[in-house]
Amino acid sequence: MPAPRRDFAQLKRGLERWLAGKYSTRVASLRVEGLRGPSETGFSSDTLLFDCEWEEDGTLHRQPMVARLEPQGVTVFPRYDMERQFRLLRWLSEQGSIRVPKVYWYEGAREVLGSPFFVMGYVDGRVPSDNPPYHVVGWLHEFRPEERRQLWMSGLQAMAAVHTLDVAPLLGTIFPTAPNARTYLEEQLEEYRQFIAWGLQAERYPLLARTEQWLRKNEPEREQVGLCWGDARIGNQLFRHTECVALLDWEMARIGDPQQDLAWFLALDRCFSEGLGVQPLAGLGGREESIAAWERATGLRADRIEYYEVLALYKFTAIMARVITQLKHYEVFPQESDMDVHNLASITLERTLAALGE
């Protein structure tokens, strides 16, 4: 997706003034250098990369940083809670077992950069590309199949560590104490029903309506409860060679059954291969092996993984429809395009429902 239009000179001035107030009085000549947006940033999130330079006690310091901003304009989601993301990342970094960037400061006022934002440390590494998809082209093609398997399993283990956390400290602080519905799953289904009503012309997407009926009819009787990363996939992980060094993009984090993260991890990998009609890279995405490894790492059961894979594809199909709607709004896609209806997510969802006899 194209990067949002920005006035980098104005952003630089705003950041420099704001950062100057975050350091001790001994800091002098604070500068923001190399301000840029990563090529893969889009409308669902807004990211700035920069180096913060300053002098202290006669020594020049440089620290790479990242600012995550609340998106503006026609957005993917109706609401963004940047402060919750900041507080969650700060709590996760304090646990010691979760690989997330260190967060420094949150700013809720829009006057500084035009929207609320938080600043975190830069983590060096490479991310498997969504566009073009990593199954089609990119640095993963340089690896041998056994190296890709190591990378996949490292990413899966890093995700699984999130699911072993005690969520009690999060309830009533970062997340509500209890769901408004009977279960966290029911609350999520209602949330996505409202999302579709808000962001899409619902009658244009009969597949979503059919899938919602299936999800409600087949809702599991029991629900494991833990912290769910939300957008859990290798495309949101930083790697150094085959080791996962950071989990990124926590805007979809929630309390729920952690097997929904495993399902998202598996289902989105299918979308970026099967959904595009291309062969998956050897070494990536072994389903049964991944499920068994996740169960061993978490001590949880993936006993309703098929249900949560349908849920993942339902959510991703709705999100893709909204993203294509954005692209039409910004005239990146022609208005007559039907890619909001027929895309890598909806194709994979259709096939999954057919395999279940629906």
Side-chain angles (χ1 to χ4, degrees):
M1 241 185 281
R5 296 184 180 91
R6 303 182 177 99
D7 183 339
F8 282 100
Q10 182 177 356
L11 290 170
K12 174 181 165 68
R13 291 192 296 270
L15 264 177
E16 287 179 337
R17 287 193 298 267
W18 184 79
L19 286 167
K22 302 300 178 184
Y23 287 88
S24 73
T25 55
R26 294 189 302 172
V27 168
S29 304
L30 186 143
R31 300 177 298 277
V32 167
E33 299 293 346
L35 184 64
R36 63 204 182 278
S39 60
E40 65 271 16
T41 193
F43 298 116
S44 63
S45 62
D46 199 350
T47 304
L48 294 172
L49 308 178
F50 61 95
D51 292 328
C52 183
E53 296 183 357
W54 70 93
E55 295 177 13
E56 186 172 0
D57 298 330
T59 302
L60 178 65
H61 299 266
R62 172 180 292 181
Q63 184 170 4
M65 290 183 169
V66 179
R68 291 277 289 182
L69 288 73
E70 179 182 296
Q72 303 180 57
V74 177
T75 59
V76 173
F77 299 110
R79 293 176 298 278
Y80 290 82
D81 193 335
M82 304 304 292
E83 184 176 11
R84 189 183 75 172
Q85 290 182 50
F86 170 79
R87 292 171 64 201
L88 177 59
L89 280 168
R90 183 172 59 185
W91 182 84
L92 287 167
S93 66
E94 292 169 353
Q95 305 314 299
S97 60
I98 309 302
R99 300 175 182 183
V100 293
K102 181 179 180 180
V103 291
Y104 293 107
W105 310 285
Y106 166 76
E107 178 56 63
R110 296 182 179 274
E111 289 77 12
V112 180
L113 297 182
S115 61
F117 67 95
F118 61 86
V119 172
M120 57 188 176
Y122 174 82
V123 180
D124 187 35
R126 295 195 291 182
V127 178
S129 173
D130 287 347
N131 186 25
Y134 54 84
H135 282 290
V136 178
V137 69
W139 57 271
L140 285 179
H141 289 252
E142 303 167 6
F143 286 7
R144 300 186 305 274
E146 57 268 29
E147 291 177 307
R148 289 194 286 263
R149 180 186 176 278
Q150 291 170 8
L151 178 144
W152 177 269
M153 285 298 174
S154 177
L156 187 144
Q157 294 290 335
M159 172 190 68
V162 175
H163 305 148
T164 65
L165 296 172
D166 177 12
V167 298
L170 300 176
L171 301 179
T173 55
I174 296 175
F175 296 99
T177 303
N180 293 322
R182 183 177 62 88
T183 65
Y184 288 104
L185 175 58
E186 284 188 356
E187 184 175 66
Q188 187 171 178
L189 292 175
E190 176 59 21
E191 178 184 314
Y192 270 83
R193 186 197 65 78
Q194 293 179 15
F195 168 69
I196 291 167
W198 164 80
L200 302 172
Q201 296 177 351
E203 64 277 6
R204 183 171 167 81
Y205 308 97
L207 175 61
L208 290 174
R210 180 159 61 95
T211 308
E212 182 191 358
Q213 291 178 357
W214 186 92
L215 289 166
R216 293 188 182 278
K217 182 176 67 175
N218 294 279
E219 185 178 342
E221 294 181 359
R222 60 181 294 273
E223 183 178 48
Q224 302 169 122
V225 176
L227 176 61
C228 301
W229 172 15
D231 200 356
R233 56 195 179 92
I234 63 170
N236 275 335
Q237 294 180 316
L238 276 169
F239 293 91
R240 294 190 195 127
H241 193 56
T242 62
E243 181 187 4
C244 176
V245 294
L247 309 181
L248 309 175
D249 291 355
W250 289 81
E251 64 190 12
M252 293 172 61
R254 63 187 317 120
I255 301 297
D257 193 320
Q259 64 184 303
Q260 69 183 270
D261 270 356
L262 174 63
W264 187 272
F265 201 81
L266 297 171
L268 265 71
D269 185 69
R270 285 180 59 204
C271 289
F272 287 111
S273 54
E274 175 187 333
L276 293 171
V278 301
Q279 287 295 315
L281 275 174
L284 289 181
R287 185 175 183 277
E288 298 307 319
E289 183 184 20
S290 297
I291 292 171
W294 180 85
E295 289 185 324
R296 287 193 302 270
T298 63
L300 300 172
R301 296 175 59 193
D303 53 351
R304 292 304 306 275
I305 190 65
E306 292 86 1
Y307 178 91
Y308 284 102
E309 284 174 310
V310 174
L311 176 64
L313 292 168
Y314 166 73
K315 291 162 58 177
F316 191 41
T317 297
I319 291 168
M320 280 295 298
R322 179 62 185 170
V323 167
I324 302 302
T325 298
Q326 281 184 300
L327 293 174
K328 288 183 177 182
H329 173 83
Y330 288 105
E331 298 182 348
V332 178
F333 277 18
Q335 295 302 308
E336 63 271 17
S337 171
D338 69 347
M339 192 174 285
D340 58 317
V341 178
H342 303 292
N343 54 62
L344 74 171
S346 62
I347 290 169
T348 311
L349 175 56
E350 284 270 22
R351 291 175 178 171
T352 301
L353 288 176
L356 293 169
E358 293 295 323

